[in-house]
């Protein structure tokens, strides 16, 4: 369905208020609520309207359907824009999307996000920077951009850079999926609430039962999840992913006795060498940046470098999303063939139109 037909059928973001709660529901369930420009613009409009509305005290973001909050951005559209030479159109979307990521992080009223079900890529961008981030037993969080020959964005490098140890490098390079326990441990979420209790949390936020602060209300429903599997994996992850280069990481993984380490080395061997090298450098540089806005600005330069110069991006989307043959033809195909300055070149790219005015 085209965006126009979809918009005519039903709003792609449901906007409502009740009892002091402003509710934003991403409403493209057939696409797991993947974000397009129209949806981002609707989010901006609602947040602008509510910022000074004394009738709205708290904002809640959730997703329609049973599959998840948001599977990411519309990468099919991105591939079309890149292959047809319309990278400028992609830049318009990225600027609007990154602005909403920063807006959520800086919003003056409590912003609550239900990262229930699939919450990946662009979904992390709208949930991961919220003041109160709730996950459930159904949550599946990830920054899977390297799987399509790309690099984490939407402020993902900022979150990855501040994960414990070398988990940021691991999660960013592999695109590994986090469950609720992992997401909380890695700093992508705050509270675990069973899915069946989300309606009760929503009702409590509307009715303002005592205690009255949103965080205190959520804590009434907060439960302790099982220990994160990432805790036990920290030994081999921290050792291997501390290497200076992607090639060094693979070598250390091969030298480890854990089967998971060998499997991770195999996975990295299947991914875009360019995407991996740039992602590693981006996460490490994000650790030195002062804040989310600076990380978003760095990411914007990187995504436009990919969109305007790199064949791996449309090829990765083709192989993983469009044709689904899972056999991308990366260029260059191996880490050994990768120019040594590729990450420096990518980080030095300056788009024609800046992210922030």
């Amino acid at each position: 369905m085209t965006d126009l037909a979809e918009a005519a059928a039903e709003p792609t973001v449901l906007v409502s208020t009740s009892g002091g709660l402003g509710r934003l529901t991403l409403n493209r369930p057939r696409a797991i609520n993947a974000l397009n420009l129209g949806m981002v613009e609707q989010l901006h409009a609602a947040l602008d309207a509510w910022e000074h509305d004394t009738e709205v005290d708290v904002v809640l973001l959730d997703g329609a359907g049973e599959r998840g909050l948001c599977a990411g951005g519309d990468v099919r559209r991105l591939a079309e824009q890149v292959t047809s030479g319309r990278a400028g159109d992609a830049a318009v979307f990225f600027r609007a999307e990154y602005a909403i990521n920063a807006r959520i992080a800086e919003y003056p009223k409590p912003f609550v996000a239900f990262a229930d079900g699939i919450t990946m890529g662009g979904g992390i961008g709208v949930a991961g920077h919220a003041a109160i981030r709730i996950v459930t037993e159904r949550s599946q969080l990830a920054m899977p951009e390297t799987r399509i020959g790309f690099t984490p964005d939407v402020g993902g490098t900022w979150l990855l850079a501040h994960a414990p140890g070398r988990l940021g490098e691991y999660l960013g390079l592999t695109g590994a999926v986090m469950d609720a326990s992992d997401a909380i441990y890695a700093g992508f979420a705050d509270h675990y609430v069973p899915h069946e209790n989300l309606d009760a949390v929503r009702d409590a936020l509307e009715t303002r039962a005592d205690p009255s602060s949103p965080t205190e209300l959520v804590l009434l429903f907060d439960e302790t999840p099982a220990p994160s599997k990432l805790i036990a994996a920290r030994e081999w992850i921290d050792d291997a992913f501390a290497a200076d280069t992607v090639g060094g990481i693979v070598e250390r993984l091969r030298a480890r006795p854990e089967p998971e380490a060998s499997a991770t080395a195999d996975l990295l061997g299947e991914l875009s060498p360019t995407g991996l090298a740039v992602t590693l450098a981006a996460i490490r540089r994000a650790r030195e940046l002062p804040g989310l806005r600076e990380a978003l600005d760095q990411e914007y330069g990187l995504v436009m470098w990919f969109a305007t110069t790199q064949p791996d991006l449309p090829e990765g989307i083709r192989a993983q999303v469009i044709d689904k043959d899972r056999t991308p033809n990366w260029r260059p195909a191996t880490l050994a063939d990768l120019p040594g300055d590729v990450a420096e070149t990518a980080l030095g790219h300056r788009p024609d139109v800046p992210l922030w005015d």
Side-chain angles (χ1 to χ4, degrees), residues 253-272:
L253 288 169
R254 294 290 184 205
R256 297 289 310 188
E258 297 86 356
E260 298 88 348
S262 296
T264 299
D266 292 342
L267 171 62
L268 294 180
E270 299 171 0
L271 302 179
S272 160

Side-chain angles (χ1 to χ4, degrees), residues 1-2 5-6 9-10 12 26-34 39 63-69 71 76 118 324:
M1 185 183 291
T2 66
E6 199 170 40
E10 192 173 4
T12 50
L26 305 181
N27 191 38
R28 293 182 70 207
R30 291 177 59 186
I32 320 180
N33 304 315
M39 295 170 73
E66 292 299 314
R67 299 174 67 189
L69 171 68
R76 287 175 179 266
I118 293 172
K324 298 182 180 180

Side-chain angles (χ1 to χ4, degrees), residues 120 142-152 170-177 263-264 267-268 270-272 275-276 279 312-313 315-321 326-328 330:
M120 299 184 180
M143 295 300 302
E145 287 76 11
T146 58
R147 305 291 180 102
I148 57 169
F150 203 28
T151 190
Y170 166 72
L171 293 167
L173 267 64
T174 65
V177 176
T264 299
L267 171 62
L268 294 180
E270 299 171 0
L271 302 179
S272 160
L276 292 175
T279 296
D312 280 3
L313 174 57
E315 172 61 9
I317 296 172
R318 180 206 64 77
Q320 299 295 340
V321 180
R326 308 289 192 261
T327 55
W330 304 127

